[in-house]
Amino acid sequence: MSLQKLHQQLVEEIADIDGRISYFISFDEEEVRFHEHALTSPASTIKVPIMVEALRLCDQGRLSLKQQVEIKVSDRVGGSGVLKGMDLTSLTLRDLLTLMIVVSDNTATNIVIDLIGMEQLNVGFRQIGLTSTALKRKMMDLEKLHHGIDTVTTANDLHHCLKLVNETALLSEDSKRVFCEIMKAQQFQHKLPFYMDEQKLIVMNKTGSITGVENDCGIFQIGDRTVYAAVLCQQLQSEQDGIRFIQLVGKKISSLLEEEIKKKN
């Protein structure tokens, strides 16, 4: 199955979903896109660009993965994560980034946002080409969300971010290794990786969801072949429709990669 065939099948599926769908998927030099520049709430997928900017600042000597970062009682917020229920007063930046991605910890994310600064994060996003991504609120800031203020991104930006990290010298080799180690350990596997055999594929993904929004983005590798994917579903009347669609995308990506390896053998 070619990537173009995959694209045709996905567009047919989208017709039956009550919501707005966008995606950007690439395999080697081939790309397929659907409304990839549509502004969308990233939910927790924004944590990927946040980690990238933190690692860039470490490479520049402005931060250190080993530095201890204070955890205040006032930092604790609800939603996903474990820090809200732990009696800790500090963690290393590396540990905060790990929790931010692996269990999508909102408290860890907000501490990292405060450490770097929202303005610096947005500057960093623009510097690496995420021109449509803007961090406008911290995690679980429901008051801003109620007033229509929300972080935005696009499938194009998330795809660009993943590919930039994996294929260019954006990060040092040490920082790239940390990025990959943390992404591989990500625990929420119910979307793009749902049908994937992780004994065969390397999976590095990050999900995101809020009311009416279901997202996932990731890097998927088998042998020397790599697929990058960002799939964003918003204004969903049924979140399950979005989850099922993202699972379908992952299933087709897995089949595509496995077929290509069989051809080589």
Side-chain angles (χ1 to χ4, degrees), residues 104-238:
S104 202
D105 197 295
N106 289 327
T107 297
T109 305
N110 286 350
I111 293 170
V112 173
I113 290 171
D114 285 340
L115 178 67
I116 298 172
M118 198 172 292
E119 182 178 354
Q120 173 58 48
L121 283 163
N122 286 322
V123 168
F125 297 162
R126 291 192 295 272
Q127 287 176 342
I128 66 173
L130 310 186
T131 56
S132 298
T133 299
L135 183 65
K136 298 182 181 181
R137 67 177 182 92
K138 291 163 71 172
M139 310 308 293
M140 301 305 294
D141 188 342
L142 301 182
E143 183 176 351
K144 280 191 175 180
L145 191 60
H146 178 72
H147 287 91
I149 301 170
D150 196 9
T151 297
V152 292
T153 193
T154 63
N156 182 79
D157 276 12
L158 289 175
H159 176 277
H160 175 72
C161 182
L162 294 168
K163 195 166 186 178
L164 202 62
V165 171
N166 202 45
E167 294 193 2
T168 75
L170 175 71
L171 299 178
S172 68
E173 285 302 314
D174 284 345
S175 288
K176 180 179 174 181
R177 176 181 50 78
V178 169
F179 176 90
C180 291
E181 287 175 356
I182 292 174
M183 289 288 285
K184 287 175 185 175
Q186 199 275 134
Q187 295 294 298
F188 296 97
Q189 303 292 294
H190 64 296
K191 293 183 184 176
L192 283 172
F194 186 73
Y195 291 106
M196 293 182 177
D197 183 348
E198 294 190 46
Q199 299 300 313
K200 296 179 180 178
L201 276 69
I202 294 172
V203 174
M204 295 181 274
N205 75 298
K206 181 70 193 80
T207 61
S209 62
I210 56 174
T211 302
V213 174
E214 296 291 345
N215 302 329
D216 203 353
C217 63
I219 304 168
F220 307 95
Q221 298 173 318
I222 186 168
D224 60 351
R225 313 303 295 275
T226 303
V227 170
Y228 301 91
V231 187
L232 309 178
C233 309
Q234 66 173 333
Q235 296 181 12
L236 293 164
Q237 294 305 303
S238 166

Side-chain angles (χ1 to χ4, degrees), residues 69-86:
V69 183
E70 183 183 7
I71 301 170
K72 303 185 293 293
V73 173
S74 59
D75 290 327
R76 296 174 184 168
V77 295
S80 58
V82 296
L83 272 185
K84 61 188 177 185
M86 300 179 73

Side-chain angles (χ1 to χ4, degrees), residues 89-107:
T89 57
S90 70
L91 279 175
T92 65
L93 177 56
R94 165 85 187 241
D95 287 341
L96 288 170
L97 295 178
T98 299
L99 289 171
M100 179 175 76
I101 299 295
V102 172
V103 294
S104 202
D105 197 295
N106 289 327
T107 297

